[in-house]
Amino acid sequence: MSGDILLAYEGVGKRFPGVVALDAVSFSVRAGEVRALMGENGAGKSTLLKILAGEHRPDSGAITIGGEDRIFVSPRDSQAAGIAIIHQELHLAPDMSVAENLLLGAFPACAGFIRRGAMRARAAGILARLGEDIDPDARLGDLSIGKRQMVEIGKALLRDARIIAFDEPTSSLSARETETLKRIIGELRADGRAILYVSHRMEEVFALADSVTVLRDGRHVADYLDMTRLTQDQLIAAMAGRTIADIYDYRPRPLGDVHVEIDAIEGPGLSAPVTLSIRRGEILGMFGLVGAGRSELLKLIYGAERPTAGSIRLDGGRLDASSPRRAIAAGFALCPEDRKGEGIVPLAAVAENIAIARRNLADRRAPFIDRPAETREAGEMIGLMRVKTASPATAIATLSGGNQQKAIIARWLAADARILLMDEPTRGIDVGARSEIYAHIYRLAEAGRTILFASSDMPEVMGIADRIVVMRDGAISGVLARAEATAERLLRLALPDAAPR
Amino acid sequence: GPSRDGRVRIGFVVKQPEEQWFQSEWRFAGMAARDKGFELIRIGAADGDRVLTAIDNLAAKNASGFVICAPDPRLGTAIEQRARVNDLKVMSVDDRLIGPDGKPIDSIPHVGISALAIGRMAGETAIAEARRREWDIGRTGVLRIAYDSLETGRDRTMGARGAIIAAGLPPAHVFDAPQRTTDTEGGFTAADPVLTRHPDLRHWIVTGLNDEAVLGGVRAAEGLGLRADSVIGVGIGGSGTAEAEFAKRQPTGFFASILLSPRKHGYDTSVAMYEWIVRGSRPPSLVYTDGKLMTRDNYRRLLAEEAA
Amino acid sequence: MAQSSPPLLRRLGAAGPLLIFVVLFALLSVFVPDFFGVRNMRGLVLSVTLVGTIATTMMLVLALREVDLSVGSITALSGVVCAVVIASTGSVAGGVLAGLAAGGAVGLVNGLVIARLKVNSLIVTLAMMEIVRGLAFLASGGEAVSIPAERFYELGSGTLLGINYPIWIMIACFMLFGVLLNRTVFGRNILAIGGNPEAARLAGVPVDSVRITVFCLQGLIAGLAGIVLAARITSGQPNTSLGLELAVISACVLGGVSLAGGVATITGVVIGVFIMGAAQNALNLLDVPTFYQYVVRGGILLAAVIFDRLRQAGGLRLARRAASPSPSQSSEKGSATA
Amino acid sequence: MAQSSPPLLRRLGAAGPLLIFVVLFALLSVFVPDFFGVRNMRGLVLSVTLVGTIATTMMLVLALREVDLSVGSITALSGVVCAVVIASTGSVAGGVLAGLAAGGAVGLVNGLVIARLKVNSLIVTLAMMEIVRGLAFLASGGEAVSIPAERFYELGSGTLLGINYPIWIMIACFMLFGVLLNRTVFGRNILAIGGNPEAARLAGVPVDSVRITVFCLQGLIAGLAGIVLAARITSGQPNTSLGLELAVISACVLGGVSLAGGVATITGVVIGVFIMGAAQNALNLLDVPTFYQYVVRGGILLAAVIFDRLRQAGGLRLARRAASPSPSQSSEKGSATA
Ligand SMILES: Nc1ncnc2c1ncn2[C@@H]1O[C@H](COP(=O)(O)OP(=O)(O)OP(=O)(O)O)[C@@H](O)[C@H]1O
Ligand SMILES: Nc1ncnc2c1ncn2[C@@H]1O[C@H](COP(=O)(O)OP(=O)(O)OP(=O)(O)O)[C@@H](O)[C@H]1O
Ligand SMILES: [Mg+2]
Ligand SMILES: [Mg+2]
């Protein structure tokens, strides 16, 4: 079923200060093949793709494209060779239209003048193919993260490339978009393209890929060319170097009193008042499709957006949720969805990024920084969360995406938050680390912390939540106890076209 | 022609409206307006573009003519043209306008000082005082705080330099200190390293294009431990800066200033323009005004005369 | 909130500078004697030609998330060079070409240093502002250079269909760069780079060459403006147009161009230029004392941007609150370049 | 490449401005007569006090990813206010307090408009630069206000341990704001806000109050510098310190402060201030003609930033090639929100 070798890495090596990102990696991909790249956070997957994209130059080794040795010096160069990459982070211009973002770098033009009709037509075509109901003239910045991710995918598809690489495309997509993506990848495969696919989601990899390459700490560990003879456990063992029995490993706990009560809260992004009550020690899952309003609800609770009506009560007392600072003082914490835009301070050290919330707790009045204590604490947190970093003083921007995410969670552990609002906290995190994070979440819950956990990953929500709130179009469409939550019920509540209960 | 209400309107355009000198000119022009019953329109115009805009504004207000101190004398042709297009009479003050051939434009009457002559006067004052103090010429330095991008600035300081050299001081003892700005701080910053460089010279004469620059030089000298009796600063303008120095109880290194008369420049010019407009009597094409030597001893009297 | 409200409000939002302008113009016409009249209007338009012409390319520079502080000095240099060449060779065409070449060359240096060496444009053009001013003084020997060619003055004072050439040139720039920004690949690439340089680069936009070209254009247009100014004032003046860069940038910002890059419209810039021009014109007509002029001028700028901001924030609150992850527009994007 | 090379190179990288300064200083000492001597050194240090003092708070403003163009005007205003109050009440303490209050008040207005109304700081402080300059003229009636209190001059010309008070004040600011930036929660918050304002807000940093405080501090310190300047020149001058803001910003940038926010060190700023001062001092000592001074001054600034950039890029190439996704530091940020 597969054709000739289209893409081959030959002994590719790449090092960054203090880190060997890639160490002599060799493998090849054929036309019509979907090759999954797997490995823990920081294993070097994105670096491998960035070398293909012409963003990094390898220190050693080479890439061959269709049998020809190539080293790309710029993204233009790589694109000209028929390569399209969907990057792990979004790269879009917020003030331009969707159509312009889709066709950026390849505007249909005549003598330098843009052919607007052609541009809209092509954009509309690709959006239709993606099954997205997005106006090509909409301002990109007005779309939710999930829709932006779809635009990012559309951009690559429009290039009509021979080799297409996806770097965690589904980390901010929900079930429906993921299905669309699977369909499209199927079409591309049938069309004889070579596809590289990076993901931490096992189900996806088993459903989509023809073969898997596993990396660990920059080293090439194994290739599995026949997926039918591979099990999840084998794959996890290859990635992590150890076995993980059940990544969710749900631990039932007795729940405490009512901790947080959300009373008819209204605000931007919500279409109807939201009322919820959450008990101490509870892990409340929040499920929904892209744009369902989970992120907006969390931000309203956190005071990052002003509610237009309604109130929040904490242990029965009314909470002034008018700013994140007030919310933090009351014990809240938010791990935001948009890690790069809202989570990290990129050029600051990992240790600084961890210490920032604790320092600013309203009840800590010390003007001076206690460096030794902070350094010690950061070291502990880095150990606890297994953040892979050259040192606590490394700029966080140089960490792999998943490790950045872990550092943000560490920030709130250090600040000893009592109510954690986690918006897609495992987005882009590898299986091993995920099971660690789940274990932390259980530990926190057992210690009486309350957790709101928004996720688009259905098995994850079903795996760890005590109770699941499903949102649809800016309103709660249902609340399911753990026992009643089946995939079918969740989807029925989440899908806009399904009949209400 | 005259405006709707029949009142004559006259513009007075100056290049640096923030400067005390031009503020005074405007004030005296305003007195003339009150005395003669015309309306005065004051506009500041710091460069050529704004001068042309100012002339257009005057035309829009139905002015009949204007007096101008232009930011550059070579704007002469443009000003003359623009005035003609808008049918405005024009007179220059302070700085004389010149044409493309580099010669003064005779058709534009002028009232002003001779920058070289005023500078020479400052230089002569300084050298005379040095003689009176019996300074050793061999150990006397001259600081020319220079702002050469301004023509009258260069003329004034070169005039002073010329007079001092003519009096026998070796040209090698004249040092330029280029200033970035024409205020006291600019003079200070420019003077400091030059004075520092010549610890061997015991006595200093400080010249500059205005009182502020010279004061900056004097302050720098004081900062380096040179006392009032080893510094002779002669400023130009007779401004509030000079007045304040003279008012100090102890004499400072700021010895004298050449008082220029904003009264003649402001009052007399606008009256002349008024007469030209209503009576058609063209002012003489050139009037030089002179400077008066102002020191601690006579400044009160001179200022009182000026304000009268 | 009806579904239809956002576009309506958005349209109102886009009309912000226009609204300010219309209100200002109406107020001035009523309260300032002599303001509303053919004679003054022509003077007003003529008075904004320098700022207006240069604002067209400054718009591109700002849209690129860069800034150019050297335009005032370039204007002076090209005027002086033009004057010197005409004075020494007698050739008007030669002078104009030399002036344009000088402006273009400065722009090219700016562009090369900024694009290739990745140095912050604020600092590069600040340094160039000094250097080029110095060159203008050196080229002129420190004093204004008269231009002994009456023919050349025609460029500054001549008219076509009753409208002065400098105004035609400004109009041409408005049209040219408006079309460039909206209708061409080059223009959209500028906005994309300003909006997200990394995204543009990864999408294969030739980022460096766009940057270099934009700074070259800025140099050329500032040079052109300098030549026209020299023709109007019949001489090349090395110390002219001090502070022009700030006036030009203010006009652009009043016209809704974002200093964070990625947002610009030519109509906005036109309006911004005229808001500034009308305000200054009124100050002169009203005979406002110099010292108050400073306060009023600064106050108008401040009031206009605050008003614009409040209007936007109102629109935001109603229609697209939290369209971006951050509520503060100023921090919406990483500000200028490092 | 040995494993040990990166840290070494990194350290060299951090020492960039220092390297430039040492080389420059050595060259000047050798080639400029009279440069290296106690007398000139003292003059040099004295000449940088104005820029140096204000650069300490400008460092904070830039680290916050903002900019303040109003410092020159604040310096003038506070000097004038101080002079007027002393002249009318005879109270030196009253004058100093009034001057500080004037500076602080301007800073507060800047901070409130920028932080609360989210208007771009470049434009706000540009407008305030005009307004405050106008106020300085109005307060002084347009002319220098002499200060009839010899005691007050002491502040400008007096010495302690042989070092002039203005120098002590500058040193105190260096220490104070160095400690503030590095050792206090407030200082680290400034850097975090400059690095990513939205992330800082969500992590509980009181973004608005930090912004307001920083602009207030900037106003106070510029006011202090204005008072010291008034004491040195024995009068309050409304038109002093034109263009000071650009000199201060240049010094900070030469010292490695990033205009993209989030990166600043006090040692860098000290070095940047002295690079500028030494260069200007040498130009004066060498008797370089004014017109060339413009070129040389601009050239030094340009050369220093280019050199610094190349060194960084070289370090990058050797040690952390393409540390960021893009080879251009300029786009490292800003792509933040897509
Ligand atoms: N620009 C850089 N500078 C320094 N180190 C870097 C840089 N980019 C990547 N690294 C390091 O290289 C290693 C590989 O990173 P990479 O982003 O390829 O990981 P990844 O497999 O994509 O991880 P994730 O699943 O978290 O996205 C990490 O240790 C990372 O910290
Ligand atoms: N600034 C905005 N202006 C208008 N609508 C917005 C804005 N931000 C979000 N929305 C809309 O509000 C709804 C909720 O978006 P939100 O991001 O909260 O959803 P979500 O459930 O978290 O989904 P995602 O997985 O995309 O994060 C969506 O319909 C989205 O398009
Ligand atoms: Mg990755
Ligand atoms: Mg979300």
Side-chain angles (χ1 to χ4, degrees):
Chain A
M1 109 194 156
S2 296
D4 301 333
I5 291 181
L6 258 186
L7 164 69
Y9 284 85
E10 284 163 10
V12 171
K14 176 78 192 170
R15 55 171 63 206
F16 295 111
V19 189
V20 179
L22 290 175
D23 184 11
V25 175
S26 305
F27 66 92
S28 56
V29 189
R30 295 176 178 278
E33 177 180 356
V34 178
R35 170 69 56 97
L37 278 179
M38 297 204 67
E40 297 190 308
N41 295 126
K45 306 176 295 291
S46 297
T47 308
L48 213 47
L49 298 195
K50 284 178 183 169
I51 288 173
L52 183 63
E55 273 189 77
H56 293 330
R57 275 193 236 178
D59 298 333
S60 61
I63 297 179
T64 56
I65 308 289
E68 208 184 318
D69 264 17
R70 294 297 302 264
I71 299 238
F72 300 121
V73 295
S74 73
R76 271 173 90 75
D77 208 15
S78 151
Q79 276 164 24
I83 293 164
I85 314 264
I86 291 131
H87 290 272
Q88 190 171 3
E89 311 286 350
L90 293 171
H91 293 291
L92 298 163
D95 287 308
M96 299 185 84
S97 72
V98 170
E100 284 173 325
N101 270 285
L102 281 168
L103 285 146
L104 185 58
F107 291 128
C110 172
F113 286 86
I114 293 180
R115 288 161 49 215
R116 285 182 180 257
M119 182 167 78
R120 295 200 64 226
R122 294 190 61 186
I126 199 71
L127 290 169
R129 187 169 165 204
L130 288 169
E132 286 295 331
D133 174 28
I134 303 174
D135 177 4
D137 291 329
R139 178 177 170 274
L140 185 109
D142 289 349
L143 302 186
S144 72
I145 295 269
K147 299 242 189 256
R148 294 185 204 181
Q149 180 68 53
M150 292 307 273
V151 171
E152 190 79 63
I153 292 169
K155 241 164 95 176
L157 295 181
L158 269 166
R159 305 267 166 191
D160 200 28
R162 280 188 299 168
I163 300 169
I164 307 176
F166 295 84
D167 197 348
E168 300 192 29
T170 54
S171 66
S172 51
L173 295 185
S174 55
R176 200 179 57 175
E177 285 81 5
T178 306
E179 284 310 315
T180 310
L181 187 64
K182 283 183 188 160
R183 174 175 54 77
I184 287 172
I185 290 178
E187 290 167 17
L188 293 171
R189 170 175 32 200
D191 207 22
R193 319 291 168 103
I195 293 160
L196 281 175
Y197 192 88
V198 178
S199 176
H200 291 296
R201 293 187 184 176
M202 289 288 168
E203 316 81 57
E204 257 170 52
V205 169
F206 278 91
L208 269 173
D210 300 310
S211 52
V212 187
T213 290
V214 177
L215 299 175
R216 186 161 72 227
D217 291 338
R219 276 171 301 109
H220 182 190
V221 182
D223 288 335
Y224 299 96
L225 297 183
D226 185 357
M227 294 291 290
T228 52
R229 292 206 301 207
L230 182 66
T231 64
Q232 283 208 14
D233 290 342
Q234 270 177 304
L235 192 50
I236 292 174
M239 282 163 56
R242 62 197 154 102
T243 53
I244 297 170
D246 170 8
I247 63 164
Y248 300 120
D249 191 22
Y250 178 74
R251 297 187 223 159
R253 288 149 275 119
L255 299 185
D257 314 332
V258 170
H259 193 189
V260 184
E261 286 167 281
I262 296 161
D263 188 13
I265 202 162
E266 290 180 65
L270 296 184
S271 58
V274 167
T275 302
L276 262 182
S277 82
I278 307 143
R279 293 165 67 183
R280 192 180 305 277
E282 182 171 58
I283 301 172
L284 180 73
M286 299 173 75
F287 182 68
L289 301 183
V290 166
R294 292 156 299 167
S295 302
E296 296 295 324
L297 178 58
L298 291 180
K299 284 195 171 171
L300 285 170
I301 298 171
Y302 193 58
E305 294 281 346
R306 290 280 172 84
T308 50
S311 64
I312 297 173
R313 275 196 301 280
L314 191 63
D315 292 323
R318 198 187 161 102
L319 173 78
D320 172 11
S322 59
S323 76
R325 252 178 98 66
R326 297 238 163 80
I328 292 166
F332 284 87
L334 173 73
C335 300
E337 174 179 31
D338 177 5
R339 175 173 63 228
K340 193 172 160 194
E342 307 183 325
I344 61 168
V345 180
L347 297 185
V350 175
E352 288 272 330
N353 271 285
I354 292 176
I356 183 170
R358 185 177 165 78
R359 277 175 192 164
N360 281 287
L361 289 178
D363 56 349
R364 296 183 80 245
R365 285 266 162 256
F368 287 93
I369 286 171
D370 182 354
R371 275 211 191 259
E374 279 195 355
T375 311
R376 197 174 350 101
E377 190 152 59
E380 278 167 18
M381 285 297 159
I382 287 170
L384 184 71
M385 297 300 300
R386 295 187 213 232
V387 181
K388 191 180 165 202
T389 173
S391 92
T394 307
I396 198 169
T398 66
L399 263 55
S400 80
N403 282 304
Q404 295 179 6
Q405 186 74 44
K406 290 192 218 168
I408 304 283
I409 297 175
R411 168 189 297 172
W412 293 114
L413 295 185
D416 200 24
R418 289 186 296 282
I419 305 133
L420 277 90
L421 312 174
M422 306 180 106
D423 199 356
E424 312 273 1
T426 58
R427 182 176 160 201
I429 291 195
D430 69 57
V431 179
R434 257 160 74 177
S435 70
E436 286 162 21
I437 288 177
Y438 300 144
H440 284 302
I441 289 178
Y442 294 130
R443 222 168 296 140
L444 290 168
E446 277 157 11
R449 308 290 195 245
T450 302
I451 287 138
L452 274 77
F453 189 104
S455 173
S456 307
D457 184 354
M458 199 166 22
E460 179 181 73
V461 186
M462 288 167 55
I464 72 156
D466 300 315
R467 202 159 50 112
I468 300 175
V469 169
V470 185
M471 294 190 70
R472 179 175 68 212
D473 291 339
I476 291 183
S477 56
V479 182
L480 299 176
R482 182 179 173 85
E484 14 172 81
T486 63
E488 196 239 351
R489 275 186 172 155
L490 283 176
L491 268 184
R492 188 133 47 86
L493 288 172
L495 285 174
D497 30 10
R501 252 198 315 186
Chain B
S3 67
R4 270 168 269 134
D5 55 12
R7 282 216 325 165
V8 173
R9 289 175 175 179
I10 293 177
F12 204 114
V13 181
V14 303
K15 60 181 179 183
Q16 284 176 304
E18 303 81 15
E19 291 281 316
Q20 189 53 39
W21 169 257
F22 295 109
Q23 289 283 319
S24 306
E25 272 186 359
W26 272 353
R27 201 177 62 247
F28 286 113
M31 278 162 65
R34 225 172 309 122
D35 293 353
K36 295 284 174 185
F38 61 87
E39 187 178 331
L40 185 78
I41 303 161
R42 307 171 187 82
I43 302 181
D47 66 19
D49 183 38
R50 275 167 250 184
V51 166
L52 299 186
T53 301
I55 298 174
D56 287 340
N57 289 157
L58 290 172
K61 293 204 73 170
N62 289 310
S64 312
F66 62 96
V67 181
I68 183 167
C69 171
D72 194 287
R74 278 175 191 75
L75 290 171
T77 319
I79 292 170
E80 195 184 26
Q81 260 188 13
R82 199 80 208 140
R84 195 174 333 112
V85 167
N86 284 307
D87 195 19
L88 291 162
K89 292 191 167 53
V90 53
M91 238 181 111
S92 60
V93 67
D94 297 331
D95 298 342
R96 196 165 184 200
L97 297 174
I98 56 185
D101 51 2
K103 300 214 182 69
I105 302 176
D106 283 325
S107 57
I108 301 179
H110 177 72
V111 175
I113 58 162
S114 155
L116 265 174
I118 294 286
R120 224 177 287 130
M121 183 169 169
E124 280 158 4
T125 306
I127 204 78
E129 175 68 10
R131 291 236 167 81
R132 198 188 62 72
R133 297 186 191 181
E134 298 179 339
W135 281 2
D136 173 1
I137 289 298
R139 306 195 68 178
T140 299
V142 176
L143 191 60
R144 183 178 81 94
I145 297 179
Y147 194 72
D148 287 350
S149 53
L150 188 67
E151 197 160 323
T152 123
R154 193 184 51 235
D155 285 352
R156 289 180 189 187
T157 51
M158 291 312 273
R161 180 179 187 272
I164 291 168
I165 290 175
L169 199 114
H173 278 198
V174 183
F175 305 100
D176 282 3
Q179 60 182 156
R180 285 194 73 185
T181 51
T182 60
D183 61 351
T184 304
E185 201 262 332
F188 187 98
T189 310
D192 199 56
V194 181
L195 294 172
T196 306
R197 197 157 31 121
H198 300 284
D200 47 319
L201 296 174
R202 291 274 257 350
H203 309 296
W204 283 93
I205 289 172
V206 183
T207 69
L209 90 161
N210 58 16
D211 290 333
E212 285 76 19
V214 171
L215 183 64
V218 170
R219 283 290 102 85
E222 286 169 358
L224 292 171
L226 290 164
R227 291 173 18 158
D229 54 8
S230 29
V231 179
I232 300 173
V234 182
I236 293 175
S239 64
T241 304
E243 188 189 341
E245 281 301 294
F246 297 145
K248 286 185 179 157
R249 252 176 293 119
Q250 293 301 317
T252 69
F254 193 94
F255 170 72
S257 178
I258 309 299
L259 172 70
L260 306 177
S261 169
R263 163 178 274 277
K264 286 194 188 118
H265 291 220
Y267 192 98
D268 296 2
T269 48
S270 32
V271 168
M273 174 57 77
Y274 177 76
E275 302 287 328
W276 189 7
I277 290 165
V278 288
R279 271 185 261 292
S281 55
R282 200 173 183 289
S285 63
L286 179 62
V287 176
Y288 271 135
T289 59
D290 52 359
K292 289 189 187 129
L293 183 62
M294 175 163 142
T295 63
R296 295 182 78 78
D297 306 328
N298 68 353
Y299 78 98
R300 280 183 221 279
R301 181 172 52 79
L302 285 182
L303 288 174
E305 281 172 18
E306 187 62 27
Chain C
M1 264 187 276
Q3 271 300 84
S4 67
S5 70
L8 184 81
L9 271 159
R10 193 100 39 90
R11 215 167 315 133
L12 197 74
L18 184 58
L19 196 71
I20 301 181
F21 177 67
V22 170
V23 170
L24 182 73
F25 199 85
L27 286 178
L28 294 181
S29 299
V30 173
F31 291 108
V32 180
D34 307 311
F35 180 80
F36 196 74
V38 178
R39 222 171 164 188
N40 189 49
M41 282 304 124
R42 178 193 284 203
L44 196 163
V45 177
L46 209 48
S47 77
V48 300
T49 51
L50 182 62
V51 168
T53 305
I54 301 177
T56 55
T57 40
M58 187 63 88
M59 167 184 80
L60 304 185
V61 171
L62 296 178
L64 204 53
R65 205 190 282 188
E66 307 285 349
V67 69
D68 189 347
L69 299 182
S70 64
V71 290
S73 299
I74 294 178
T75 305
L77 177 67
S78 74
V80 166
V81 167
C82 174
V84 168
V85 170
I86 296 183
S88 60
T89 68
S91 157
V92 169
V96 170
L97 283 180
L100 285 176
V106 176
L108 182 65
V109 173
N110 281 338
L112 284 175
V113 175
I114 291 162
R116 291 256 188 267
L117 303 178
K118 323 276 178 208
V119 190
N120 183 291
S121 58
L122 189 75
I123 290 298
V124 172
T125 56
L126 179 61
M128 288 300 278
M129 170 171 117
E130 290 266 299
I131 295 175
V132 174
R133 181 69 65 183
L135 293 180
F137 280 123
L138 288 172
S140 64
E143 55 187 23
V145 180
S146 311
I147 303 175
E150 312 262 331
R151 230 164 10 114
F152 179 66
Y153 304 164
E154 192 52 17
L155 179 61
S157 49
T159 61
L160 177 71
L161 307 176
I163 294 176
N164 300 55
Y165 288 134
I167 299 178
W168 280 120
I169 290 174
M170 176 175 74
I171 293 174
C173 284
F174 282 151
M175 308 235 286
L176 178 66
F177 291 105
V179 169
L180 188 84
L181 186 69
N182 285 318
R183 301 254 166 260
T184 68
V185 173
F186 182 71
R188 303 320 280 181
N189 280 346
I190 291 175
L191 288 172
I193 295 172
N196 187 339
E198 188 57 17
R201 199 179 67 87
L202 291 177
V205 173
V207 175
D208 282 5
S209 79
V210 170
R211 285 213 176 101
I212 294 172
T213 312
V214 166
F215 276 96
C216 269
L217 284 174
Q218 170 84 83
L220 278 175
I221 293 298
L224 176 65
I227 294 168
V228 173
L229 179 63
R232 289 180 65 209
I233 62 183
T234 69
S235 55
Q237 305 227 350
N239 55 1
T240 190
S241 306
L242 286 165
L244 178 67
E245 55 284 345
L246 297 181
V248 173
I249 294 172
S250 300
C252 287
V253 172
L254 280 181
V257 178
S258 163
L259 289 174
V263 182
T265 63
I266 191 75
T267 40
V269 169
V270 173
I271 291 166
V273 165
F274 278 95
I275 291 177
M276 295 250 305
Q280 183 59 49
N281 180 278
L283 289 179
N284 283 353
L285 290 185
L286 285 175
D287 210 3
V288 174
T290 315
F291 304 149
Y292 287 100
Q293 287 210 15
Y294 277 89
V295 179
V296 174
R297 221 164 26 219
I300 288 175
L301 180 58
L302 193 60
V305 288
I306 290 179
F307 173 79
D308 194 50
R309 179 71 208 149
L310 290 180
R311 188 188 44 74
Q312 266 180 43
L316 276 178
R317 193 155 317 124
L318 286 169
R320 39 177 273 211
R321 183 152 162 201
S324 71
S326 132
S328 112
Q329 204 190 31
S330 61
S331 52
E332 188 167 327
K333 293 183 206 162
S335 68
T337 52
Chain D
M1 265 186 278
Q3 270 300 85
S4 67
S5 71
L8 185 81
L9 271 159
R10 194 104 36 92
R11 217 168 314 134
L12 197 74
L18 185 59
L19 195 73
I20 301 180
F21 176 67
V22 170
V23 170
L24 182 73
F25 199 85
L27 285 178
L28 294 181
S29 300
V30 173
F31 291 108
V32 180
D34 310 307
F35 179 82
F36 195 75
V38 177
R39 215 170 162 194
N40 187 52
M41 281 305 122
R42 178 193 284 202
L44 195 163
V45 177
L46 207 51
S47 76
V48 300
T49 51
L50 183 64
V51 169
T53 306
I54 301 177
T56 55
T57 40
M58 186 63 87
M59 167 184 81
L60 304 185
V61 171
L62 296 178
L64 206 53
R65 205 190 283 185
E66 308 286 349
V67 71
D68 188 348
L69 299 182
S70 65
V71 290
S73 298
I74 295 177
T75 304
L77 177 68
S78 74
V80 166
V81 167
C82 175
V84 168
V85 170
I86 296 182
S88 60
T89 69
S91 156
V92 169
V96 170
L97 283 180
L100 285 176
V106 176
L108 182 66
V109 173
N110 282 338
L112 283 175
V113 175
I114 291 162
R116 291 256 189 266
L117 303 179
K118 324 270 179 214
V119 190
N120 183 295
S121 58
L122 188 77
I123 290 298
V124 172
T125 56
L126 178 61
M128 287 300 278
M129 171 171 117
E130 289 266 301
I131 294 175
V132 174
R133 180 69 64 180
L135 293 179
F137 280 123
L138 288 172
S140 65
E143 58 185 6
V145 180
S146 54
I147 303 174
E150 315 260 329
R151 231 163 12 111
F152 178 67
Y153 306 164
E154 195 46 22
L155 179 62
S157 49
T159 61
L160 177 72
L161 306 177
I163 294 176
N164 301 55
Y165 287 134
I167 299 179
W168 280 119
I169 291 175
M170 177 175 74
I171 292 174
C173 285
F174 282 150
M175 308 234 287
L176 179 67
F177 292 105
V179 169
L180 188 84
L181 186 69
N182 285 317
R183 301 254 165 259
T184 68
V185 175
F186 181 72
R188 303 318 285 180
N189 280 346
I190 292 175
L191 289 171
I193 295 172
N196 185 346
E198 185 58 13
R201 188 176 78 98
L202 293 179
V205 174
V207 175
D208 283 5
S209 81
V210 170
R211 284 212 178 103
I212 294 172
T213 312
V214 166
F215 276 96
C216 269
L217 284 175
Q218 170 83 84
L220 278 175
I221 293 298
L224 176 65
I227 293 167
V228 174
L229 180 64
R232 288 175 65 202
I233 61 183
T234 71
S235 57
Q237 305 220 354
N239 55 359
T240 190
S241 306
L242 287 165
L244 179 67
E245 57 284 346
L246 296 182
V248 173
I249 295 172
S250 300
C252 287
V253 172
L254 280 180
V257 178
S258 162
L259 290 172
V263 181
T265 64
I266 191 75
T267 40
V269 170
V270 173
I271 292 166
V273 166
F274 278 95
I275 291 177
M276 295 248 307
Q280 182 62 48
N281 179 277
L283 288 179
N284 287 351
L285 288 183
L286 286 174
D287 228 350
V288 174
T290 321
F291 303 149
Y292 286 100
Q293 287 211 12
Y294 279 90
V295 178
V296 174
R297 216 160 34 218
I300 288 175
L301 179 58
L302 193 60
V305 288
I306 290 180
F307 174 79
D308 193 49
R309 180 69 210 151
L310 289 179
R311 189 188 43 73
Q312 268 179 41
L316 278 178
R317 195 156 314 123
L318 285 169
R320 35 178 277 210
R321 188 155 159 194
S324 68
S326 109
S328 105
Q329 203 190 31
S330 63
S331 49
E332 190 164 321
K333 298 196 201 157
S335 45
T337 62

